[in-house]
Amino acid sequence: MKPRLLVTGGAGFLGTYLLKQAKAFTASGTLHRTAATALPDITFHVCDLEQPEEVRILLDRVRPEIIIHTACSDQGGNLSAIPPAAGVMAIQSAERHIRFIHLSTDQVFDGTAAPYHETSPTSPINPYGQAKAQAEDLVRSLNPQAVIVRTSLLYDLRSPDRQTYQLIQTTQTKELYRLFTDEFRCPIWVENLVDALLELANNTYTGILHLCGPESFNRWELGMKLLRHFKVRPTANIQKGTIKDLGLVRPANLTLDSSIAQEFLQTPLLALSESFQETQKPHP
Ligand SMILES: NC(=O)c1ccc[n+]([C@@H]2O[C@H](COP(=O)([O-])OP(=O)(O)OC[C@H]3O[C@@H](n4cnc5c(N)ncnc54)[C@H](OP(=O)(O)O)[C@@H]3O)[C@@H](O)[C@H]2O)c1
């Protein structure tokens, strides 16, 4: 019998990849505003995770052994759902002894004291980071056995992810698009993150875990590398910029140290060039 896995945010970017790659599980996903979606062998359930009663009914029906909670991101303009949904999922998973993996972000840090470790105190400076930091606190207090995975920019190599798509679209226009040279992140290929999450689903790790790519790139470097991967020539309206010159309040250096994950997991965390090579192999 395959273990039963529930992925919240089953129609989201990460959720969809998780469900596609979860062949070793009997997997199901949640939908919220997405009217319908379909994946082979996957059951979808409509559920508002802010509503404890809806979640209770869902869990009674699905009886998952593992939950990977990807729902509630910075998209869709509803940051206020992030803490309560995490709280409901944390309580319910604790009461039912379900292994609970909660997705968080590098944006729980302010970007002034990189590299950040699992033990670094959170210091969010934007509303998204603040909501995710609050969600982390709830998860930690309500389900001490939970895993809190902090990740960074997720990039896609089969087809452009949201930000790369926007960048590619901008090459068709004359609109100015600035890529910051003073903002650093540790991007991870979404399929690589999924492999690591599915391995985590089956092991005993608890607590915070940083799961990011092993390299820190500024936005300009990353944008240029992804444009090259998709064979798109950068145009003159794509320009270097700095958050400092524009006077923006954004975390500058969100380099996370993922060495605990690298030691603990069998899944290697791939450098950008390694993930490019992986895409040359046949797609499972
Ligand atoms: N993408 C990144 O680069 C990145 C980086 C760092 C961390 N993360 C974290 O990784 C996770 C996944 O990110 P993502 O980019 O895959 O997010 P996403 O594509 O925006 O998907 C989020 C999903 O959350 C669901 N949702 C929102 N409110 C809900 C509610 N009240 N009840 C139930 N479901 C609700 C939405 O469902 P419907 O579409 O059905 O409405 C949506 O599909 C998030 O926790 C995010 O914070 C992402």
Side-chain angles (χ1 to χ4, degrees):
M1 280 278 275
K2 295 178 182 179
R4 288 183 299 277
L5 168 70
L6 176 67
V7 174
T8 69
F13 176 44
L14 177 59
T16 301
Y17 268 104
L18 271 164
L19 290 169
K20 279 186 190 165
Q21 287 176 225
K23 305 265 188 272
F25 299 81
T26 300
S28 46
T30 69
L31 306 176
H32 182 225
R33 298 200 192 285
T34 301
T37 189
L39 283 175
D41 302 322
I42 305 295
T43 316
F44 287 95
H45 305 267
V46 175
C47 184
D48 180 350
L49 303 178
E50 284 188 85
Q51 304 301 326
E53 195 47 37
E54 287 190 33
V55 173
R56 255 181 231 117
I57 293 167
L58 169 77
L59 297 182
D60 285 345
R61 185 183 302 169
V62 177
R63 293 185 300 110
E65 291 151 280
I66 306 138
I67 295 173
I68 304 183
H69 177 51
T70 80
C72 302
S73 67
D74 56 348
Q75 304 294 310
N78 188 15
L79 298 181
S80 64
I82 293 174
V88 169
M89 297 311 294
I91 292 177
Q92 289 289 324
S93 56
E95 279 178 10
R96 295 164 189 252
H97 306 288
I98 300 169
R99 182 158 173 74
F100 183 56
I101 300 177
H102 169 79
L103 264 294
S104 190
T105 171
D106 51 6
Q107 295 199 55
V108 296
F109 298 115
D110 65 6
T112 63
Y116 292 97
H117 305 270
E118 282 80 354
T119 50
S120 303
T122 57
S123 50
I125 55 168
N126 61 37
Y128 171 57
Q130 283 155 0
K132 292 298 266 191
Q134 207 185 328
E136 283 192 7
D137 291 344
L138 283 168
V139 170
R140 256 201 310 270
S141 65
L142 297 169
N143 186 344
Q145 298 305 312
V147 186
I148 295 174
V149 168
R150 292 192 188 125
T151 190
S152 184
L153 295 176
L154 310 185
Y155 59 89
D156 195 352
L157 297 177
R158 313 273 178 203
S159 58
D161 53 81
R162 279 189 291 258
Q163 289 186 1
T164 310
Y165 179 78
Q166 203 187 343
L167 181 60
I168 291 172
Q169 290 296 100
T170 310
T171 64
Q172 314 291 320
T173 71
K174 298 212 175 327
E175 201 183 309
L176 178 63
Y177 194 105
R178 286 190 203 280
L179 289 168
F180 300 127
T181 53
D182 57 351
E183 185 172 297
F184 294 83
R185 312 285 290 271
C186 294
I188 182 164
W189 182 28
V190 62
E191 293 182 33
N192 186 204
L193 176 64
V194 164
D195 285 340
L197 288 171
L198 294 175
E199 183 185 342
L200 258 184
N202 269 331
N203 71 27
T204 54
Y205 188 92
T206 61
I208 298 171
L209 189 67
H210 288 180
L211 258 184
C212 301
E215 303 157 303
S216 185
F217 289 112
N218 67 43
R219 291 275 193 166
W220 170 264
E221 292 167 326
L222 179 64
M224 291 302 119
K225 283 175 192 295
L226 290 172
L227 281 184
R228 202 171 311 134
H229 171 78
F230 289 108
K231 301 188 171 37
V232 177
R233 195 183 288 273
T235 46
N237 58 326
I238 313 283
Q239 292 184 7
K240 288 182 182 173
T242 62
I243 47 178
K244 187 162 173 275
D245 287 348
L246 292 174
L248 299 175
V249 180
R250 292 169 66 99
N253 188 344
L254 290 179
T255 300
L256 299 197
D257 180 333
S258 297
S259 51
I260 293 180
Q262 277 173 321
E263 277 168 34
F264 186 76
L265 296 175
Q266 287 176 12
T267 306
L269 298 178
L270 301 177
L272 203 68
S273 58
E274 292 171 318
S275 59
F276 288 161
Q277 283 163 18
E278 284 297 306
T279 59
Q280 306 306 315
K281 299 179 183 169
H283 194 15

